[in-house]
Amino acid sequence: MTLDLFSPEPCENLLPYDGEVQDYGCILSPEEAEQYFHYLYRHLAWKHDEAKLYGKHFITARKVAWYGDDYYQYKYSGIARDSLPWDKALAKLKQQVEQILSEKFNSCLANLYEDGTQGMAWHSDSDVSLARTTTIASLSFGATRKFSFRHIQSKEKVELWLQPGQLIVMRGETQQYWQHRLNRSTKILQPRINLTFRQFKFL
């Protein structure tokens, strides 16, 4: 698979205040995006995500895989997760995103949604292992899905459709003031993969 580096220009901030989200558009050709989707679907170490909420243990329909520069145990929702060594294709995508953004990332949380009935509820990525003004780069593959932001106080919403090969970037204090979610839809029958590149503080 080729990695011809596009040089997309981000649009203006999608958020009206209290954060920064930029849409870099599709950084991969449709052919590259499809090829990567099939590779990632088959080769990443997918497993169902887990969470402990209100003393109960839940296993989600969504699957995840987590990769990092070094071994690290990441805890959220009461469950410990171990990072894996970089997959070669995932490492190439990380390098491409880093070149576009002129930023470095040391980990990637990959998410697999088998169809539109699987999504993510409102949440913020504000874990203590992430800096307060962390940058999170999100790269999409597979089915086009609606992605929403909601201000924690005003409840104002910003929504967009994420297509295969599309890169959006959350910066600044976005995680402190805005929640985001992947909307569910019974009309979407195809799977979607989302790669979120992050800079964790490995302790």
Side-chain angles (χ1 to χ4, degrees):
M1 56 185 68
T2 61
L3 272 175
D4 295 333
L5 180 61
F6 296 172
S7 298
E9 290 294 331
C11 67
E12 296 181 359
N13 188 6
L14 298 179
L15 301 181
Y17 44 80
D18 290 343
E20 182 180 353
V21 174
Q22 290 180 309
D23 179 7
Y24 284 75
C26 294
I27 66 168
L28 300 168
S29 70
E31 295 77 16
E32 286 176 316
E34 183 176 4
Q35 188 177 9
Y36 268 115
F37 169 79
H38 290 297
Y39 177 89
L40 297 171
Y41 189 88
R42 292 194 305 266
H43 294 285
L44 294 194
W46 300 112
K47 63 179 182 179
H48 292 283
D49 201 10
E50 301 178 64
K52 286 184 179 178
L53 299 173
Y54 308 110
K56 295 183 179 180
H57 183 239
F58 297 91
I59 298 178
T60 67
R62 172 182 64 110
K63 294 179 181 179
V64 298
W66 188 44
Y67 296 81
D69 286 355
D70 298 298
Y71 172 78
Y72 182 65
Q73 191 173 78
Y74 171 46
K75 295 182 179 180
Y76 72 90
S77 298
I79 301 292
R81 296 158 179 84
D82 299 325
S83 62
L84 299 169
W86 286 103
D87 171 271
K88 60 181 180 180
L90 201 59
K92 289 182 180 179
L93 287 169
K94 180 177 84 81
Q95 182 181 31
Q96 182 168 357
V97 171
E98 288 176 335
Q99 288 179 311
I100 291 172
L101 303 181
S102 297
E103 296 202 35
K104 290 292 184 181
F105 301 99
N106 61 10
S107 63
C108 176
L109 178 63
N111 300 279
L112 170 60
Y113 308 89
E114 291 288 0
D115 56 38
T117 65
Q118 298 179 9
M120 281 288 285
W122 290 114
H123 69 285
S124 296
D125 296 325
S126 54
D127 186 83
V128 295
S129 295
L130 294 169
R132 178 179 174 86
T133 57
T134 190
T135 296
I136 299 177
S138 174
L139 185 58
S140 297
F141 298 91
T144 297
R145 297 283 298 268
K146 182 186 284 189
F147 193 73
S148 303
F149 293 91
R150 181 180 69 178
H151 194 272
I152 292 173
Q153 296 174 339
S154 71
K155 306 304 180 184
E156 182 172 351
K157 291 182 181 178
V158 175
E159 298 183 323
L160 67 160
W161 288 87
L162 298 180
Q163 303 176 50
Q166 186 171 352
L167 175 68
I168 65 169
V169 181
M170 296 178 279
R171 293 189 173 95
E173 295 195 330
T174 300
Q175 307 303 325
Q176 308 303 317
Y177 294 100
W178 293 82
Q179 295 178 317
H180 52 274
R181 74 174 179 185
L182 180 67
N183 297 263
R184 292 176 170 85
S185 172
T186 57
K187 297 180 180 179
I188 298 174
L189 305 179
Q190 297 78 28
R192 172 184 185 258
I193 290 173
N194 167 239
L195 306 179
T196 54
F197 297 100
R198 307 157 187 248
Q199 182 69 30
F200 273 91
K201 295 181 291 184
F202 291 104
L203 304 176

